[in-house]
């Protein structure tokens, strides 16, 4: 009698010395009997605790908003997982105690209850519509309310988080591309979907910024209960209650600096929501528009929730059978039968099944099928199995026989189990639902907004080192171009002695547009260039470059020799690889630019070959200035050195990404 | 000559087109791998991001950009070219490009070997 879903339990022999000792209370049984599942969970908890420590450290150490948001998300996910594992451990211990109690009192036999098979449940294509007020949507104010959001999904003991998405007024929906698969779900599963949000404005304050919406969004929770819920979610007040109470799956977080996510909306999905297509479900919104993390959710979430029960994807039973084919009463044919999904496939032989050869006969096994064991056939030793189906109004009956009585029993049991599974999994057993894991996409290389070169780069496993150096080279050239505008990023001010912003025009540079430009530093950096050139022993820059610099910058060349920062070995290696690949260096154009539309400024030549653009640039979009302002300071020194060294190399043919 | 209309893709605060350019009157034209005439200082498409707005619009690597939204690109510096393409208030750029015929491209690659 095969029974699935029964966990293995170690038993202590009755009347043994060990049992006597336990009864006397000398040992706690749980101490002795740490089941394999216990240690599994313990290991998982330890792992998550380590991850959590790492996330805390990262959060404390990182300086950039993006990193902090990601680290905070990891922290939240780790906490949730720890909570879930601990509750599961608790449940298991309790179950063990209950079973032990039951067994001690009676000599319980093996469990008779039939349990349904498990399934793979996948949720994908999550889309949460937003409802910005009309004027808010189209009014592009300077201040853009942005939030970082992600979803936390929990089923049973498994918790997954989606990628983080930045949301602002320009989006009509929050979309998550992830497909999340839970592996061992039972028919009564509850998939909890939670949307977490964190305000991402520059002036991030602990208080909330009130947002006025003309229409109050209807939420499932009233204002007062929403406030209560929020109060319960504040760190410290939250108690580790079970999910059934509707509380969020959060631990009270130790106060860690950095951005904090708040629960914005949640819903719970179960078997009734499973369908092989997209459906919209209600999304319960917590919080209100006074919160900083508020987003105008429409109140629904659209997704595809699919389930593949094992009875549909796995072979539930297989073995040799005899089937009566044709009208002859005595005509038995030997087949190899495989029960899978809604069919009993009968192959000529077992090897055919493995070789994917078509079966000789396929008998449908579904909700409409009737199976019974026939009376004992006087000619055979065992009972026959009669399977009756309705094929388009006609009743068709197949008769099968197994080799022995036990086999017949096994087959009947398998059919009963299959019927049971199908009754439990309902619509999932009509047809097999597809679950697809999207292949890892190559991340789009977008214009770097801010941050260090290495931090921003996402390397695919399929990238080879050539692609990596490509990316680096392009990035370096990007930075090159920005500084060529005649207004290098403000991190260059590290090399200044004067205070950073002097809007008053320097004597070398004529004033441009009214916007505060950072050109006061133009004249200084080439001084650094010259000092760099002299320090690089492996520099490929021809000597012709240096005199050019020196001539142009002699008044300033002595200003910056002391500000040289140490380089790391890896940077050197990367740069020499770049040079070796023929990306070339920066060719210094020592003549005044030919197509100058502005007044010639000889002092700027060495740094920017396109100095003539500066005068016209004021009339065009100043996007490069804006993005420059976002540069962070600490890693900038190394980067500027890299840029300058790349510039000195005269073999560059610059490329820009647009 | 071909007219290509690219609709920029919004990525946060940025509008991206999904390709890279090389060239310019301030650049060394001999290093341009796409040009037939090695003294050609025009603006060339050096890379097209897969699935990006430029690829979708029909832009191909090696195209020479003659005009952007009516602005001439045959006598501009590298940075001027970049700026004409990345104006923040423009969602669409209309390019006029010339493309080397396949025959020429094959001939040239053969000559290089």
């Amino acid at each position: 009698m095969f029974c699935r879903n029964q966990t293995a339990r170690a038993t202590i022999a009755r009347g043994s010395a060990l049992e006597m000792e336990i009864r006397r209370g000398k040992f706690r049984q749980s101490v002795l009997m740490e089941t394999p599942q216990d240690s599994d969970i313990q290991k998982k908890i330890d792992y998550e605790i380590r991850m959590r420590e790492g996330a805390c450290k990262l959060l404390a150490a990182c300086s950039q908003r993006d990193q902090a948001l990601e680290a905070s998300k990891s922290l939240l996910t780790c906490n949730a997982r720890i909570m879930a594992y601990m509750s599961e451990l608790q449940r298991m211990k309790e179950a063990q105690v209950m079973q032990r109690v039951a067994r001690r009192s009676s000599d319980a036999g093996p469990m008779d209850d039939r349990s349904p098979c498990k399934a793979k449940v996948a949720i994908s294509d999550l889309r949460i519509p937003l409802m910005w007020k009309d004027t808010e949507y189209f009014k592009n104010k300077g201040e853009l309310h942005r939030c970082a959001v992600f979803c936390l999904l929990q089923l049973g003991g498994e918790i997954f988080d989606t990628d983080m998405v930045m949301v602002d007024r320009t989006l009509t929906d929050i979309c998550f591309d992830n497909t999340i698969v839970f592996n061992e779900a039972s028919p009564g599963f509850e998939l909890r979907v939670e949307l977490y949000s964190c305000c991402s404005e520059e002036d991030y304050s602990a208080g909330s910024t009130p947002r006025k919406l003309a229409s109050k969004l209807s939420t499932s929770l009233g204002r007062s209960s929403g406030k209560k819920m929020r109060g319960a979610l504040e760190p410290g007040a939250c108690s580790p209650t079970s999910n059934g109470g509707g509380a969020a799956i959060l631990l009270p977080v130790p106060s860690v600096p950095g951005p904090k996510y708040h629960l914005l909306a949640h819903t719970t999905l179960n078997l009734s929501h499973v369908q092989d297509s997209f459906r919209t479900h209600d999304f319960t919104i917590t919080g209100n528009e006074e919160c900083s993390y508020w987003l105008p959710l429409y109140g629904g979430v659209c997704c595809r929730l699919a389930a593949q029960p094992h009875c549909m994807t796995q072979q539930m039973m297989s073995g040799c059978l005899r089937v009566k084919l044709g009208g002859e009463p005595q005509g038995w044919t030997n087949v190899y039968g495989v029960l899978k999904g809604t069919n009993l496939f009968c192959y000529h032989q077992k090897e055919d099944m493995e070789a994917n050869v078509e079966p000789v006969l396929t008998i449908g096994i579904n909700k409409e099928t009737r199976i019974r064991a026939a009376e004992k056939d006087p000619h055979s030793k065992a009972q026959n199995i009669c399977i009756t189906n309705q094929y388009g109004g006609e009743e068709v009956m197949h008769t099968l026989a197994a080799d022995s009585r036990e086999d017949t029993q096994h087959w009947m049991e398998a059919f009963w189990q299959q019927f049971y599974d199908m009754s439990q999994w309902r619509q999932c057993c009509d047809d097999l639902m597809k679950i697809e894991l999207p292949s890892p996409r190559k991340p789009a290389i977008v214009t770097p907004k801010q941050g260090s070169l290495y931090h921003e780069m996402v390397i695919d496993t399929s990238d080879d080192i050539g692609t990596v150096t490509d990316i680096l080279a392009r990035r370096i050239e990007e930075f090159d171009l920005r500084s060529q505008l005649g207004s290098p990023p403000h991190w260059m001010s590290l090399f200044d002695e004067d205070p950073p912003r002097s809007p008053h025009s320097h004597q070398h540079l004529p004033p441009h547009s009214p916007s505060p430009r950072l050109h006061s530093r133009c004249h200084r950096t080439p001084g650094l260039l010259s000092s760099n050139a002299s320090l690089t022993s492996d520099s490929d820059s021809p000597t012709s470059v240096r005199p050019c610099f020196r001539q142009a910058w002699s008044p300033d060349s002595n200003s910056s020799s002391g500000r040289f920062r140490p380089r790391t070995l890896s940077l050197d290696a990367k740069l020499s690889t770049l040079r070796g690949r023929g990306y070339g260096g920066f060719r210094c154009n020592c003549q005044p630019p030919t197509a100058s539309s502005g007044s010639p400024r000889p002092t700027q030549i060495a740094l920017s070959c396109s100095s003539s653009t500066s005068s016209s640039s004021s009339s065009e979009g100043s996007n490069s200035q804006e993005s420059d302002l976002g540069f962070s300071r600490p890693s900038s020194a190394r980067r500027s050195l890299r840029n300058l060294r790349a510039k000195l190399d005269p073999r560059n043919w610059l490329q820009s990404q647009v | 000559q071909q007219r290509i209309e690219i609709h920029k893709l919004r990525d946060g605060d940025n509008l991206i087109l999904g390709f890279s350019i090389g060239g310019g009157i301030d650049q060394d034209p001999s290093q341009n791998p796409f040009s037939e005439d090695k003294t050609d200082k025009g603006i060339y498409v050096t890379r097209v991001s897969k699935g990006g707005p430029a690829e979708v619009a029909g832009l191909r690597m090696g195209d020479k950009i003659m005009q952007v939204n009516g602005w001439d690109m045959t006598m501009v510096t590298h940075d001027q070219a970049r700026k004409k393409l990345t104006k923040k208030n423009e969602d669409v750029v209309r390019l006029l490009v010339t493309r080397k015929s396949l025959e020429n491209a094959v001939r040239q690659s053969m000559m290089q070997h």
Side-chain angles (χ1 to χ4, degrees):
Chain A
M1 193 74 171
F2 74 102
C3 299
R4 277 173 301 166
N5 311 319
Q6 203 177 31
T7 58
R9 280 188 301 274
T11 54
I12 294 182
R14 293 192 136 230
S16 69
L18 190 53
E19 206 209 29
M20 301 300 285
E21 292 300 304
I22 290 168
R23 282 194 184 221
R24 274 205 231 114
K26 291 281 169 121
F27 304 102
R28 265 188 311 117
Q29 209 168 14
S30 58
V31 168
L32 300 164
M33 307 224 283
E34 193 166 273
T35 63
Q37 293 97 319
D38 280 358
S39 51
D40 250 356
I41 295 204
Q42 199 57 52
K43 272 190 218 140
K44 285 189 201 166
I45 293 180
D46 291 338
Y47 176 76
E48 290 300 326
I49 289 179
R50 279 202 306 276
M51 294 287 286
R52 179 196 189 177
E53 280 165 10
C56 284
K57 280 190 201 138
L58 188 61
L59 201 55
C62 64
S63 54
Q64 295 181 31
R65 193 79 193 164
D66 288 348
Q67 279 177 326
L69 287 168
E70 286 288 345
S72 182
K73 172 168 91 94
S74 309
L75 184 62
L76 197 148
T77 310
C78 287
N79 281 339
R81 284 185 178 142
I82 292 172
M83 263 300 298
Y85 292 147
M86 278 169 44
S87 330
E88 199 176 319
L89 201 59
Q90 183 74 14
R91 270 197 305 269
M92 279 172 53
K93 292 276 186 216
E94 281 169 8
Q96 280 171 24
V97 168
M98 298 292 280
Q99 276 164 7
R100 256 179 266 127
V101 165
R103 250 189 308 122
R104 211 175 287 163
S105 54
S106 69
D107 205 7
M111 307 244 278
D112 277 337
D113 310 87
R114 200 182 287 285
S115 41
C117 67
K118 301 273 189 209
K120 209 156 77 151
V121 171
I123 182 167
S124 62
D125 305 287
L126 279 152
R127 183 175 62 89
I128 299 161
L130 296 167
M131 201 177 93
W132 301 100
K133 200 176 77 157
D134 262 357
T135 52
E136 260 200 64
Y137 182 85
F138 294 112
K139 202 183 359 173
N140 244 332
K141 301 191 284 199
E143 167 218 326
L144 194 66
H145 178 52
R146 295 186 97 195
C147 283
V149 299
F150 72 96
C151 272
L152 204 64
L153 302 124
Q154 179 178 22
L155 196 156
E158 291 182 282
I159 292 180
F160 293 103
D161 57 349
T162 62
D163 292 336
M164 184 185 71
V165 170
M166 295 301 289
V167 178
D168 58 33
R169 249 197 308 275
T170 61
L171 285 185
T172 54
D173 301 79
I174 307 173
C175 293
F176 295 105
D177 291 331
N178 311 83
T179 301
I180 311 265
V181 178
F182 299 94
N183 279 305
E184 297 289 314
S186 52
F189 73 84
E190 288 207 335
L191 173 55
R192 192 171 157 90
V193 181
E194 295 184 334
L195 180 69
Y196 285 94
S197 160
C198 174
C199 175
S200 173
E201 277 161 344
E202 281 313 313
D203 53 346
Y204 174 71
S205 51
S208 53
T209 326
R211 300 246 162 253
K212 293 196 170 55
L213 291 178
S215 54
K216 283 259 194 274
L217 294 166
S218 61
T219 60
S220 305
L221 288 173
R223 261 275 197 134
S224 51
S225 48
K227 275 208 187 107
K228 251 189 273 165
M229 179 82 81
R230 247 188 313 133
L233 290 175
E234 290 309 307
C238 175
S239 57
T241 53
S242 66
N243 282 353
I249 41 185
L250 280 179
L251 260 178
V253 180
S255 60
V256 175
K260 279 193 183 49
Y261 286 93
H262 303 265
L263 181 67
L264 183 57
H266 67 94
T267 187
T268 306
L269 304 172
N270 52 45
L271 183 59
S272 59
H273 299 116
V274 174
Q275 204 177 307
D276 201 3
S277 59
F278 299 103
R279 271 183 69 172
T280 308
H281 313 275
D282 283 331
F283 219 9
T284 313
I285 303 174
T286 59
N288 54 47
E289 58 261 27
E290 301 301 313
C291 311
S292 61
Y293 56 89
W294 172 258
L295 284 172
L297 302 182
Y298 187 73
V301 56
C302 182
C303 65
R304 181 175 176 267
L305 184 62
Q308 281 180 347
H310 292 335
C311 62
M312 296 294 285
T313 55
Q314 294 171 5
Q315 291 182 16
M316 300 317 273
M317 180 73 190
S318 58
C320 291
L321 288 167
R322 280 171 298 129
V323 60
K324 262 195 200 164
L325 288 174
E328 274 191 59
Q330 300 296 329
W332 289 102
T333 315
N334 286 326
V335 291
Y336 183 76
V338 173
L339 176 61
K340 181 172 152 185
T342 54
N343 289 302
L344 174 65
F345 301 102
C346 300
Y347 296 90
H348 181 55
Q349 50 186 5
K350 185 175 180 181
E351 290 71 32
D352 280 0
M353 186 257 310
E354 281 148 12
N356 267 333
V357 176
E358 290 290 308
V360 247
L361 175 65
T362 303
I363 304 173
I365 310 283
N366 52 50
K367 288 178 280 209
E368 318 295 320
T369 312
R370 290 195 319 273
I371 301 183
R372 62 182 175 84
E375 317 79 44
K376 243 191 165 150
D377 195 335
H379 298 281
S380 67
K381 301 169 211 125
Q383 291 171 300
N384 287 345
I385 301 172
C386 298
I387 303 177
T388 314
N389 272 313
Q390 291 265 352
Y391 287 122
E394 252 191 57
E395 227 181 58
V396 179
M397 182 171 91
H398 293 277
T399 312
L400 300 128
D403 287 334
S404 67
R405 186 171 290 146
E406 298 95 58
D407 281 353
T408 312
Q409 200 54 37
H410 287 157
W411 276 102
M412 288 307 288
E413 171 59 33
F415 290 133
W416 285 326
Q417 182 67 40
Q418 192 77 349
F419 285 141
Y420 182 69
D421 289 342
M422 289 202 264
S423 72
Q424 290 291 297
W425 284 106
R426 293 183 255 152
Q427 73 272 25
C428 308
C429 294
D430 291 340
D431 250 317
L432 185 62
M433 296 185 191
K434 278 211 184 357
I435 291 180
E436 272 169 17
L437 284 168
S439 58
R441 286 170 293 133
K442 227 180 169 71
I445 299 172
V446 294
T447 315
K449 290 166 262 210
Q450 61 180 3
S452 83
L453 206 63
Y454 292 116
H455 155 61
E456 275 211 324
M457 205 155 55
V458 179
I459 311 276
D460 225 354
T461 45
S462 57
D463 281 347
D464 63 349
I465 192 64
T467 325
V468 171
T469 20
D470 273 8
I471 296 169
L472 271 179
R474 270 195 288 278
R475 293 292 179 93
I476 287 179
E477 283 142 8
E478 282 269 4
F479 289 127
D480 275 351
L481 282 168
R482 286 220 196 89
S483 35
Q484 270 180 49
L485 282 175
S487 50
H490 77 303
W491 45 256
M492 292 288 249
S493 63
L494 274 172
F495 301 99
D496 282 348
E497 283 171 329
D498 291 348
R501 294 215 187 186
S502 37
H504 311 293
S505 61
H506 196 271
Q507 64 207 50
H508 287 277
L509 306 163
H512 292 300
S513 59
S515 62
R517 300 274 293 260
L518 309 167
H519 48 249
S520 55
R521 274 171 297 293
C522 269
H523 70 292
R524 290 198 180 275
T525 47
L528 186 59
L529 279 178
S530 57
S531 61
N532 269 355
S534 55
L535 280 160
T536 51
S537 51
D538 58 340
S539 167
D540 295 336
S541 24
T543 48
S544 62
V545 174
R546 262 178 264 152
C548 159
F549 283 128
R550 294 248 168 81
Q551 274 166 19
W553 299 103
S554 42
D556 302 41
S557 57
N558 52 1
S559 57
S560 50
S561 40
R563 279 187 290 266
F564 189 73
R565 299 270 171 119
R567 313 183 295 262
T568 58
L569 234 50
S570 57
L571 291 179
D572 287 356
K574 272 270 150 40
L575 277 173
S576 19
T577 329
L578 283 174
R579 283 200 213 101
R581 294 184 103 243
Y583 267 89
F586 178 90
R587 198 183 74 125
C588 168
N589 192 352
C590 292
Q591 304 95 9
T594 49
S596 62
S597 47
S599 52
R601 288 183 299 278
T603 52
Q604 267 197 319
I605 291 169
L607 181 57
S608 85
C609 265
S610 53
S611 52
S612 59
T613 64
S614 307
S615 53
S616 54
S617 61
S618 53
S619 55
E620 296 170 6
S622 51
N623 53 336
S624 34
Q625 272 88 19
E626 281 160 24
S627 50
D628 287 350
L629 291 169
F631 275 99
S632 66
R633 286 173 168 251
S635 51
S636 56
R638 265 179 287 136
R639 224 181 322 121
S640 63
L641 278 169
R642 262 183 264 144
N643 301 340
L644 298 170
R645 290 184 70 194
K647 270 206 242 326
L648 284 178
D649 201 328
R651 289 178 289 154
N652 263 333
W653 184 69
L654 289 170
Q655 296 178 47
S656 304
Q657 199 172 317
V658 294
Chain B
Q1 286 205 338
Q2 258 190 295
R3 292 195 181 272
I4 291 183
E5 190 177 295
I6 304 178
H7 294 261
K8 293 186 190 176
L9 180 69
R10 184 172 285 281
D11 173 57
D13 276 333
N14 300 318
L15 287 167
I16 64 167
L17 291 153
F19 69 97
S20 300
I21 53 165
I25 53 175
D26 56 332
Q27 301 291 302
D28 179 6
S30 62
Q31 295 186 50
N32 185 341
F34 303 103
S35 55
E36 247 182 313
D37 176 12
K38 288 306 172 193
T39 63
D40 182 0
K41 292 189 171 187
I43 305 293
Y44 280 78
V45 176
T46 59
R47 198 185 133 261
V48 179
S49 300
K50 195 161 166 53
E55 188 188 70
V56 165
L59 193 69
R60 297 288 171 262
M61 184 164 74
D63 286 359
K64 178 178 174 184
I65 303 181
M66 311 296 282
Q67 281 179 22
V68 172
N69 285 345
W71 292 96
D72 170 64
M73 297 289 259
T74 58
M75 284 295 255
V76 291
T77 65
H78 185 95
D79 207 39
Q80 279 173 330
R82 190 188 59 82
K83 286 183 130 175
K84 291 279 192 292
L85 287 160
T86 54
K87 290 198 180 180
K88 262 203 159 174
N89 55 356
E90 284 174 358
D91 281 349
V92 180
V93 284
R94 290 178 180 83
L95 310 181
L96 183 66
V97 304
T98 56
R99 186 168 295 167
K100 254 195 322 206
S101 66
L102 191 61
E103 186 194 356
N104 277 343
V106 170
R107 201 185 305 147
Q108 181 164 61
S109 64
M110 278 165 57
M111 286 195 309
Q112 279 169 1
H113 292 304

